[in-house]
Amino acid sequence: MPPGSARSVPAVDDVQTGRLLDETAVDLALRATRYLRTRFRERVTVGDLSAHLAYSPSHLSRVFTSVVGASPMDYLAAWRLHEAKHLLITHRLGVAETCHEVGYASVGTFSRRFLRDVGTPPGSLRRIADRVAERTQPAVSLLVPSAGRIRVCLDVPEEKRCALGPAPYQWVGTFPRPVPSGLPASGTLRRHIDEVELPIVPGSPWLLATIFPDGADVHEQLAPTNPLVARLRVPEEPVPGLIPLPVRAALPWDPAVLVALAAMVV
């Protein structure tokens, strides 16, 4: 089988149903995300993507969403903002130049979407990066009143736990969709891998987690490239006992971690 086929990646469950997806679906998502990542500067439509992959737009969108957890165009929008974070932090580009580099025609539209999905205006991200580079991030919690709560513990494989160092950054939050975009409804950022308790927020049933190594630099904290992640849908009713949240390396098609967690505390 050629490189990049479904056999080169782990078995994957349907995001919504939990059923194991077949290799054709996984391979389609892999090829689609590769196309979108290389064409993010262009005006790409679902029609362009479906023509490239020789699938109907409706079939492509359905399969893509079942694997990735977001539609092709939502994935493309997220990848554009992920690339924008790199340009703002690493290359120190201005907002207008960054906007056009990642395929937006309007600075206003770019800025609004950046604020919505990253959690801070694009012009503020460099200042946040400078402050993050100067200090260790403290623990922080974003909690709301709630009748029910859930207890969560990240289940990290031992070989990955060792590579994280003695005090990794652990983020766990609740989101309305299975993608880490926008500020969470509730969440907590801590040092060390630890059990956390979060309120159950109606309309935000997705538990998403990200772990950064101890000593992660500012770029990895604000625009991670190879994070450890976890995702689990829980009922919108209280769940007794501790919920294990299995942690894995991000898959090739996983949506970018857009929310700049450090923006919550600087």
Side-chain angles (χ1 to χ4, degrees):
M1 186 171 287
S5 69
R7 292 189 184 279
S8 63
V9 296
V12 178
D13 293 340
D14 184 298
V15 172
Q16 298 292 341
T17 68
R19 293 193 297 268
L20 190 65
L21 291 163
D22 61 35
E23 292 181 356
T24 302
V26 175
D27 186 59
L28 178 59
L30 181 59
R31 291 189 291 128
T33 51
R34 284 176 173 171
Y35 178 88
L36 295 172
R37 288 187 181 197
T38 58
R39 302 294 183 91
F40 69 90
R41 294 183 178 88
E42 305 171 15
R43 289 181 176 272
V44 178
T45 67
V46 173
D48 297 327
L49 181 60
S50 63
H52 174 75
L53 298 173
Y55 283 89
S56 72
S58 59
H59 177 76
L60 169 64
S61 296
R62 179 178 57 79
V63 173
F64 187 97
T65 302
S66 70
V67 177
V68 177
S71 71
M73 292 300 97
D74 282 347
Y75 183 92
L76 176 60
W79 190 254
R80 283 174 170 156
L81 295 182
H82 176 72
E83 290 291 331
K85 290 197 294 181
H86 284 281
L87 294 174
L88 290 164
I89 297 170
T90 303
H91 299 284
R92 315 291 288 187
L93 295 189
V95 173
E97 188 176 1
T98 298
C99 162
H100 298 303
E101 280 290 319
V102 298
Y104 280 89
S106 165
V107 175
T109 299
F110 167 72
S111 297
R112 286 192 297 272
R113 291 182 180 174
F114 195 98
L115 174 60
R116 181 193 68 188
D117 291 346
V118 179
T120 187
S124 300
L125 190 64
R126 283 204 305 270
R127 293 192 293 273
I128 291 172
D130 291 339
R131 292 197 291 272
V132 168
E134 294 171 355
R135 68 178 188 175
T136 299
Q137 296 307 299
V140 63
S141 293
L142 176 64
L143 304 177
V144 296
S146 173
R149 305 181 76 83
I150 49 176
R151 292 169 50 230
V152 181
C153 184
L154 272 62
D155 182 10
V156 184
E158 191 59 36
E159 68 275 12
K160 297 189 183 300
R161 186 183 290 265
C162 294
L164 290 169
Y169 293 92
Q170 169 190 282
W171 168 260
V172 184
T174 58
F175 289 79
R177 300 189 303 150
V179 292
S181 172
L183 290 177
S186 67
T188 177
L189 174 65
R190 297 186 181 182
R191 302 301 300 271
H192 306 284
I193 298 172
D194 198 8
E195 175 185 324
V196 299
E197 186 175 79
L198 295 174
I200 296 176
V201 181
S204 295
W206 286 99
L207 278 172
L208 304 180
T210 304
I211 303 180
F212 308 121
D214 182 22
D217 62 21
V218 60
H219 192 282
E220 194 61 23
Q221 290 187 49
L222 292 174
T225 52
N226 296 295
L228 294 179
V229 297
R231 176 173 65 191
L232 182 70
R233 182 164 191 158
V234 297
E236 296 187 12
E237 297 292 333
V239 177
L242 189 64
I243 299 176
L245 198 54
V247 172
R248 58 171 172 76
L251 295 170
W253 53 79
D254 274 336
V257 178
L258 285 186
V259 56
L261 302 176
M264 297 173 54
V265 294
V266 297

